[in-house]
Amino acid sequence: MPKVTVDGIEVEVPQGATVLQAAELAGKEIPRFCYHEGLSIAGNCRMCLVEVKPGPPKPQASCALPAADGQEIRTDTEMVRKAREGVMEFLLINHPLDCPICDQGGECDLQDQSIAYGRGRSRFQENKRAVTEKYMGPVIKTVMTRCIHCTRCIRFAEEVAGVEEIGAINRGESMEITSYLERAVHSELSGNVVDLCPVGALTSKPYAFEARPWELTKTMGIDVMDGVGTNIRIDSRGREVLRALPRQNDDVNEEWATDKTRHAIDGLMRRRLDTPYVRREGTLVPASWNEAFEAIAAVKAGSSVAAIAGDLVDCETMYATKKLVTSMGSDMLEGRQTGLSYDVSNLAAVNFNTTIAGIQDADVIILVSTNTRWEASLVNTRIRKAVRKGGAKVFGIGPEADQTYPVEWLGDDMGLLSKLPKEAADALKNAEKPAIILGGGALSVEGAHGAALKLAAKYKLIRDDWNGFNVLHVGASRTGGLLLGYAFDGGIKAIAEKKPKLLFSLGADEMDYAPFENSFKVYIGHHGDAGAHAADVILPAAAYTEKNGTYVNLEGRVQRSNKAIFAPGDAREDWSILRALSDILGKTLPFDNFAELRGQMFADQPELATEGLISFGWAPPSGLADKPTGQGVLPIKDFYLTNSIARASATMQRCSAELLHGDDMLEAAE
């Protein structure tokens, strides 16, 4: 490992590190605009200039210069200071004085670095250039006169998102950043360019003119829009969430977030349930909490009670419901609301065992009836990284979908799992780190799960230091629900056949309520979606930003989310609703506050007590059907409208209409 000296401090750096990284290891701050840890090196802003010996007596761009043994790096000389001042002066030549009306104000790298490294005045007397605005879609607002040509947005679109729709035209001062033909960027990750932009050229369109950063209360949370468990920061003011931004977690989401994670939050203020409802004479009418509870208590259900958990539910809510249902003498709990009924006798066999970060090390990957780009976008970026940087070969079985990287589609017949074509079979045999990913669509095909487990054994996908068997869950609550026993033998269909007199629906909006026509349905949720329309009693609950909660993501990682705001109106946190209801039903739950509930959950389910990956022992079930027939299916038809919050979001509705269905969206001036 090379040893270098930075301002008199000797440091040892990894092989292949740059001078900029070496300086940071020595604790020195190096200004930059174009350099970003998650993107390739461009070296075009020249702000990171340093002096390096041996070498020519001139400032050099530290981001593009490899660190070599024996280098003497100076970051604080007069030459470096004057060079950075000159670069900053050039960058500000055409930049407009928009700070008072710019949404980047307060979070702007250009502001911060001009104060720290700039001259404080300009010698430029000519007219500033002006650039026409570009249209980049429903979530990106552009003011391209502010652009400093760092090209971060271009590199992100090409390298991470895999959608080469942002580029540069013209040269020199006339260079302009634009989307292809000035159309919307067709990427579910496009909003990340707003975070990447170091100036105010690209800002968030839904957030425009909403708030300044110092007005916002910042709360650490976990996203529930998919099964990845993206780490987010919830920015709120008063009782409204104004922004959701990604937090860096290299094991989960790196520093990215999907557009749904970022912009579905306006759905938290629309179609909300804020008072209890009771169905009278076929119509849902507002009621008091006591009236709603009494209506439930009037149902003489005995032990004929069931609970179905939706995709957005936290573990504490599912645990409290389980305690109530079991105290009534029932074990009918289910979390696979779309009707899946796969074997869960060993949770490792339905887990993403390679881990999200680990899948980028795979060299051969088989996708089975899954569109990872929609089902888990940030897993898809890892697979793309495996293809781009590691040369991984990807094969697909099931309906074809654009995954942003080359996929050799073997066919739509799920029987291919039992007899792989020669090329795929040979690739698996010779692979050092082979992997298979089963989507929710694969689990809905009889025999596919067993065939995949058999394939994993045949090609040795599970080794001492590698487990390449993966199931991709799309629900944020799915893995936590399986841990808590929300997997009734035979699934929802078997529960429906038992005709429960009382059915608790925990935000289950994607299920078919027709088989439960004769059940008394109690919907505990936060939006007036399909589940609420089918209910006999509605108990308004808190959304994920309005309560503390534990979530387990698709790789079995336990994470905690914190309460950012209060629920609207008479809505209450789910656990408190269940605690109050248990009194009325005569089955009082053994906890009086959230801390007691969480303590009991940890005692009963120790895996949930510690944040981090749960260790599932590999002991796959045997004797499963392993001769799948028929075609694969994809569980998600519209990426932007997958749950009740997203469907209530005006931004997500517009994204769906414009980006997926091709509707023309007119701006105000049109």
Side-chain angles (χ1 to χ4, degrees), residues 143-220:
V143 184
M144 300 312 293
T145 301
R146 301 171 185 160
C147 179
I148 62 169
H149 303 161
C150 72
T151 69
R152 281 185 180 182
C153 54
I154 297 174
R155 284 175 283 147
F156 174 83
E158 179 181 348
E159 297 165 14
V160 180
V163 178
E164 299 181 12
E165 294 183 5
I166 302 178
I169 57 175
N170 306 325
R171 299 180 67 184
E173 189 180 63
S174 299
M175 176 176 164
E176 297 181 21
I177 306 296
T178 180
S179 58
Y180 181 65
L181 299 181
E182 295 192 28
R183 293 177 179 167
V185 179
H186 289 75
S187 172
E188 62 287 340
L189 299 169
S190 64
N192 289 290
V193 300
V194 171
D195 288 350
L196 288 171
C197 185
V199 297
L202 305 176
T203 54
S204 171
K205 188 176 287 186
Y207 177 69
F209 308 122
E210 287 287 339
R212 288 298 195 189
W214 52 84
E215 300 176 66
L216 303 175
T217 300
K218 300 168 178 62
T219 308
M220 304 303 111

Side-chain angles (χ1 to χ4, degrees), residues 180-505:
Y180 181 65
L181 299 181
E182 295 192 28
R183 293 177 179 167
V185 179
H186 289 75
S187 172
E188 62 287 340
L189 299 169
S190 64
N192 289 290
V193 300
V194 171
D195 288 350
L196 288 171
C197 185
V199 297
L202 305 176
T203 54
S204 171
K205 188 176 287 186
Y207 177 69
F209 308 122
E210 287 287 339
R212 288 298 195 189
W214 52 84
E215 300 176 66
L216 303 175
T217 300
K218 300 168 178 62
T219 308
M220 304 303 111
I222 300 298
D223 174 56
V224 298
M225 295 294 137
D226 55 27
V228 172
T230 299
N231 289 220
I232 59 173
R233 193 187 81 197
I234 304 163
D235 288 357
S236 59
R237 184 177 60 191
R239 299 188 70 165
E240 184 177 1
V241 174
L242 296 181
R243 280 197 310 191
L245 298 177
R247 288 184 286 135
Q248 183 155 353
N249 186 330
D250 290 336
D251 292 327
V252 182
N253 56 292
E254 297 178 285
E255 55 192 286
W256 317 125
T258 69
D259 291 351
K260 190 162 51 175
T261 296
R262 291 173 180 274
H263 298 298
I265 49 102
D266 63 331
L268 292 168
M269 297 296 291
R270 295 178 171 88
R271 302 183 189 171
R272 285 304 299 268
L273 299 171
D274 58 1
T275 191
Y277 286 84
V278 174
R279 189 175 296 277
R280 294 193 177 115
E281 298 179 2
T283 303
L284 286 166
V285 296
S288 67
W289 280 102
N290 282 338
E291 289 172 333
F293 287 162
E294 288 168 3
I296 299 168
V299 180
K300 305 302 180 184
S303 63
S304 183
V305 56
I308 311 295
D311 289 344
L312 312 181
V313 191
D314 56 290
C315 290
E316 286 82 358
T317 297
M318 290 187 283
Y319 177 77
T321 307
K322 177 182 179 180
K323 294 288 281 186
L324 179 59
V325 170
T326 54
S327 71
M328 298 174 75
S330 175
D331 63 349
M332 290 189 283
L333 303 168
E334 184 55 75
R336 300 165 295 183
Q337 57 172 327
T338 55
L340 300 179
S341 59
Y342 44 83
D343 187 287
V344 295
S345 56
N346 178 243
L347 292 185
V350 289
N351 187 52
F352 202 89
N353 296 292
T354 306
T355 72
I356 295 172
I359 196 66
Q360 70 189 39
D361 296 327
D363 50 2
V364 175
I365 302 171
I366 309 288
L367 303 178
V368 184
S369 197
T370 180
N371 179 1
T372 52
R373 184 175 173 184
W374 281 9
E375 294 170 35
S377 305
L378 297 176
V379 172
N380 199 58
T381 61
R382 303 280 191 161
I383 301 174
R384 177 173 167 78
K385 193 181 292 187
V387 173
R388 289 185 67 249
K389 295 187 175 181
K393 180 73 174 173
V394 182
F395 298 92
I397 298 173
E400 295 187 19
D402 178 10
Q403 307 288 32
T404 72
Y405 45 80
V407 178
E408 185 174 328
W409 295 97
L410 304 175
D412 202 8
D413 182 8
M414 296 299 289
L416 290 168
L417 268 175
S418 302
K419 186 173 176 57
L420 282 179
K422 185 177 186 305
E423 184 179 353
D426 290 345
L428 280 179
K429 283 178 186 175
N430 299 323
E432 293 185 8
K433 291 187 174 181
I436 185 171
I437 300 176
L438 271 72
L443 294 175
S444 67
V445 177
E446 179 68 27
H449 190 202
L453 288 168
K454 195 172 180 180
L455 182 148
K458 179 179 179 180
Y459 293 102
K460 297 181 174 56
L461 268 60
I462 293 83
R463 304 169 186 181
D464 291 341
D465 58 346
W466 178 258
N467 188 329
F469 187 85
N470 302 295
V471 170
L472 190 67
H473 298 301
V474 297
S477 65
R478 189 61 48 83
T479 304
L482 295 177
L483 271 167
L484 289 166
Y486 278 75
F488 192 71
D489 188 17
I492 282 187
K493 184 179 178 182
I495 292 178
E497 289 172 353
K498 289 182 175 290
K499 296 183 169 61
K501 293 179 181 178
L502 181 60
L503 177 72
F504 290 108
S505 169

